[in-house]
Each structure stands twice: as structure tokens, then as C-alpha cells.
Amino acid sequence: MRWISATIRPFKLHDVRRSLAEYGIHGMTVSDVRGVGWPRSIHDRTLASDDVTDGVARIKVEIAVPYEQVASVVEIIVREANTGHHGDGRLLVLPLSMVVHIRTGERDRYAL
């Protein structure tokens, strides 16, 4: 199992969610986040100050997936979140040692 964490532009969330749903991925965590990267895009520089606490608005999408689906999910997110400009975000894939569904007690693959 793997944990996929992608930080993307807010207006790309709809495209990412739609394509993941078409692939069969419906469960995910979506958070509003702020970040500062380098180099900032011209658009981001005009919208955000240089103060690190301000940052630039982004969306973080987090998904737990079986190992066999990692490549497909990564491909979908990268394809749908890409604008071709600086500031499109980052995607991380991390090992996931255990998943537990709190209500049922199911574990790992069955907890998804």
C-alpha cells in the first residue's frame, strides 16, 4: 500500500477528482493548504507577498491506494493537474504500513 499526497492548484481539483472517480478512486482527503516554492510563477508573485506566512493557496489531495494502482493514480493526477507553468505542485508517494477502518476494524486493503 502507498500514500499519495499531491499539492495542486485549486482550479484543477475538479479535473483530478473526476478522472480519479472514472478510474474507480472515490475516497480521498482534500485540504486547503498554503505553500511557498521557488521559483514562484509570475502569477503567484503578483497574488502573494514575499511573507512566508502568506504563501500561495493550493489544494492537497491525499489518497491511500494498493501498490498495483500507484502508477495509474500518479499518471492521472499529473495529467489532470498539469498546466505547464511553475507552481503546478508536487506529488509524493510514500510507503504505508497499515490502514485501519475505525468503524469496522477492517485493515489494509479491506479498509479502503
Side-chain angles (χ1 to χ4, degrees):
M1 307 235 343
R2 297 290 186 262
W3 184 251
I4 298 175
S5 176
T7 305
I8 63 173
R9 295 176 185 271
F11 70 90
K12 298 303 280 181
L13 178 61
H14 175 75
D15 298 335
V16 169
R17 287 183 61 188
R18 184 195 71 243
S19 291
L20 287 171
E22 288 172 3
Y23 178 71
I25 302 288
H26 300 283
M28 65 189 72
T29 300
V30 177
S31 307
D32 290 316
V33 296
R34 303 190 72 72
V36 177
W38 188 259
R40 285 187 179 173
S41 70
I42 292 171
H43 178 71
D44 291 344
R45 278 183 263 172
T46 60
L47 294 178
S49 75
D50 288 331
D51 187 356
V52 174
T53 58
D54 286 347
V56 178
R58 293 292 184 256
I59 297 291
K60 183 182 281 189
V61 178
E62 298 173 299
I63 309 165
V65 298
Y67 181 78
E68 305 81 42
Q69 293 181 324
V70 170
S72 297
V73 170
V74 167
E75 178 187 334
I76 289 167
I77 295 171
V78 169
R79 180 185 69 231
E80 297 299 336
N82 183 21
T83 68
H85 299 285
H86 287 293
D88 277 350
R90 296 286 188 273
L91 186 144
L92 308 173
V93 178
L94 305 166
L96 190 58
S97 60
M98 182 186 302
V99 178
V100 179
H101 190 276
I102 294 173
R103 182 177 54 85
T104 64
E106 295 172 311
R107 293 180 182 265
D108 299 325
R109 183 178 300 265
Y110 304 104
L112 299 179

